[in-house]
Each structure stands twice: as C-alpha cells, then as structure tokens.
Amino acid sequence: MRIGVLTGGGDCPGLNAVIRGIVRRGVQSHGYEFVGFRDGWRGPLENVAVRLDVPAVRGILPRGGTVLGSSRTNPLRVDGGVRRVRENLDRHGVDALIAIGGEDTLGVAAELGRAGVRVVGVPKTIDNDLDGTDYTFGFDTAVNICTEAIDRLHTTAESHRRVLVVEVMGRHTGWIALHAGVAGGANVILVPEHPFDLDRVCGWVENRFKINYAPIVVVAEGAVPADGGMVTKDDSRDAFGHVRLSGIGEWLAAEIERRTGKEARTTVLGHIQRGGTPTAADRWLATRFGLHAVDAVRDGAFGTMVALRGTDIVRAPLEAATARVKTVDLALYEEFGVFFG
C-alpha cells in the first residue's frame, strides 16, 4: 500500500513527530510506502511531492514546524480542484491519504472523502478548538510559551507600575488565553466566547493598583467588547474565508489607559506561539496520533479522524469533528473569576 501524507494550515510544534510516527509504523510494521505532499493541499493540487521513508524522518522528532511545509491552499475554491487532487493522487499510486491539520484542512479532507478519496485525519491546532478530541498537539507547547512570557512580563510590569496587555492566538476560542492566563497568574482573561464589559475590565485593573500590584491582562485575538465588534487588520480574507485578526491588544491597552489614567503597553505573542521545539506532552500525543492514523488506514477506517478521549486514542467521524468548533464553556471560564481584579 502507498499512503500520501500532508500537513495543512498553520504550522505548529509536533507536526514532525506525527510524520515520524506515521512513517515508522507504516514501514516497519506493515511494509507500506509513503509519499509526502508539499505545502498542504497545494501538494496534491499542483502535484508537488517528495519521497517519505525512514531515513527522511530521522532526527525530526524535536523539530518544530513541518518538514513537508504547509499552506492555507483550499482546493475546494479552485476550479476543478477536487478532480485535480484525485488525479495527482492516482498519478503517484496513492491508495489512501493521511491529512494532518485543523478545521479547515480536515474540512477539505471530509469533502474529499465524500468524493471518494480514502482519507484519515489527524487533528492539529494550537487553538485546541477541534470538536471530537479532548486535546490537539501543539496546544500544550503554545500554552507553555505564553505562560513563560506572562511570567516574564509580571516583573517588568511591577517595575514600571504599568498595565501590560498580552495578546495571544485564538480566533474563535479562548483555550490558550484561559490556560496560559490562569497558569501565568493573569488578573484579567478575555476570550472570544464571552464578550467583555470594558468598564468591568477597567475596574479590575484599578483594583490591582489599589493593592500596589501591576495587572496583567491576557486577551485572545478574537475577543470582542460587549458593545463592539471584532478588531481586524484589514478586509482581506484567506482561502478559507477568514479575515486577518490583529489589534485587539493595542485597542484594549489604549482604552484602559484612556479610562484609568494608568500607563498600558501591549505584547503580541503572535507566531512565537507556533514556533520552536514541541513540549514532551506534544511529542507524546503527536507520536500516538501518527501511529494510530496508520492503523486506521490498515483497518480501512476511512472518513475518520484519530482523537484523544481521556487517555485513549479513538476514531471520530471527520464530518462530526469538523462540524463545529469546541468552545470554552462559560461555567469553566467563571471557575477562575476569583482571580480577576
């Protein structure tokens, strides 16, 4: 059997661990051959492929990013895109495809599955917003990076008696903001799922100064004020229809400074959250996902995604896993309200 592998969407730590797990299991346990498609869905769309074998995956476990490259190419928006993907898969003699990505990449995989492509998905997103799996790899690394940054910002905030606003990733969900904010001892955490009251935020900030403490405000990039809308960089959209988010941190710092009279600065962590060496937890989870993805192909479990449930790796229908995003429940968010203000 010959299996195609691709990594799509935003890169994240742990992708190489998945690729390594897939190839090692497939070659050593089943005698499979592998073809790596470059740059996400652009690879099978434009016939850009490389050979994947055991020597090709040696030494990549601790490396961030992806040796296959990635992109936000969407073949569903290209005239004849699905047909071209199928033709190029056939050209390489690919019997099945393993797609590693988030809601957009796996959404395309689900559509190709309906078109007859034998596909298995592996969930990847630092946002941890894919339904059907408890956790995605890349998330733990992102949270650790953000937590370390918040730890460092506490000391400089206290030294200068100023508010520091930390903007983290999270277009639709606030999992990174909530986990890193709690772990880093933030005084305000704002997430997309629950629009925030700016007056209340300013009240929390002022309360911290009353006890001689410089506050840290953590805000997800997709968070919105209750009486406003999402802050975007411009009106442009990517191939999946997403606007470019940027600026909620700067906007929030300016509003806090204007309303409270306290100096406020912003740190946007941006792509730092996606880069670098994966944590041990992400290497572990990504490796298990890779091993089980090959087993799903062996068993003919196409149209599924490997997923973490508790400590077990299970298979979830691709369509169900990509039908909606997994959001932060209000009850969970409010558990940590005692630390705000």
Side-chain angles (χ1 to χ4, degrees), residues 4 17 38 55 62 76 82 95 101 163 197 208 214 219 258 301 308 319:
R38 294 285 305 172
L76 304 183
V82 173
D95 300 297
V163 185
D197 183 325
R208 281 325 221 180
V219 57
R258 183 178 68 84
L308 180 68
E319 291 192 22

Side-chain angles (χ1 to χ4, degrees), residues 190-192 194-199 201 219 222-231 248 251-252 255 259:
L190 307 176
V191 299
H194 310 295
F196 59 87
D197 183 325
L198 189 54
D199 289 333
V201 170
V219 57
V224 296
D227 57 352
M230 185 177 291
V231 178
I248 185 61
W251 178 88
L252 186 59
E255 285 296 315
R259 293 179 182 226

Side-chain angles (χ1 to χ4, degrees), residues 1 95-97 117-120 296-304 318:
M1 177 176 281
D95 300 297
L97 180 66
V117 176
R118 304 204 301 175
V119 62
V120 168
V297 171
R298 177 202 62 196
D299 296 341
F302 303 114
T304 66
L318 260 178

Side-chain angles (χ1 to χ4, degrees), residues 8 14 30 49 51 74 106 115 127 147 187 195 222 243 251:
H30 307 303
R51 183 179 178 183
N74 184 356
L106 296 186
D127 289 344
T147 301
N187 312 114
V243 296
W251 178 88

Side-chain angles (χ1 to χ4, degrees), residues 61-89:
L61 174 65
R63 289 173 57 183
T66 164
V67 295
L68 291 178
S70 192
S71 73
R72 296 193 182 279
T73 302
N74 184 356
L76 304 183
R77 290 199 170 189
V78 176
D79 187 35
V82 173
R83 173 184 53 78
R84 287 168 56 184
V85 168
R86 293 186 64 176
E87 288 175 352
N88 287 324
L89 292 178

Side-chain angles (χ1 to χ4, degrees), residues 91-301:
R91 184 173 286 113
H92 288 278
V94 170
D95 300 297
L97 180 66
I98 297 177
I100 311 166
E103 60 173 318
D104 294 326
T105 299
L106 296 186
V108 172
E111 186 63 32
L112 288 173
R114 289 189 285 271
V117 176
R118 304 204 301 175
V119 62
V120 168
V122 175
K124 172 247 38 162
T125 167
I126 67 169
D127 289 344
N128 196 42
D129 61 358
L130 264 175
D131 201 25
T133 184
D134 290 349
Y135 287 99
T136 53
F137 68 89
F139 173 67
D140 185 72
T141 302
V143 169
N144 275 273
I145 290 169
C146 293
T147 301
E148 181 181 355
I150 295 168
D151 286 346
R152 293 176 180 274
L153 289 170
H154 272 293
T155 58
T156 186
E158 292 167 5
S159 296
H160 292 274
R161 304 285 298 152
R162 59 166 64 117
V163 185
L164 282 182
V165 177
V166 186
E167 182 182 311
V168 302
M169 285 186 170
R171 174 180 294 273
H172 302 298
T173 65
W175 292 108
I176 294 177
L178 184 61
H179 280 245
V182 171
N187 312 114
V188 180
I189 302 171
L190 307 176
V191 299
E193 293 90 338
H194 310 295
F196 59 87
D197 183 325
L198 189 54
D199 289 333
R200 191 180 188 191
V201 170
C202 290
W204 284 334
V205 166
E206 290 176 322
N207 284 342
R208 281 325 221 180
F209 280 108
K210 289 178 182 178
I211 59 172
N212 296 317
Y213 192 88
I216 299 288
V217 178
V218 174
V219 57
E221 62 185 348
V224 296
D227 57 352
M230 185 177 291
V231 178
T232 59
K233 190 175 185 65
D234 52 48
D235 294 330
S236 63
R237 295 177 180 268
D238 65 18
F240 291 92
H242 301 308
V243 296
R244 296 176 63 191
L245 297 182
S246 178
I248 185 61
E250 290 287 350
W251 178 88
L252 186 59
E255 285 296 315
I256 290 173
E257 186 166 310
R258 183 178 68 84
R259 293 179 182 226
T260 67
K262 303 295 184 181
E263 184 182 8
R265 300 288 180 85
T266 305
T267 296
V268 181
L269 296 182
H271 288 75
I272 290 173
Q273 298 159 83
R274 294 214 312 233
T277 301
T279 60
D282 276 340
R283 297 184 203 189
W284 164 269
L285 179 58
T287 298
R288 292 190 73 199
F289 277 163
L291 300 177
H292 282 263
V294 172
D295 289 348
V297 171
R298 177 202 62 196
D299 296 341

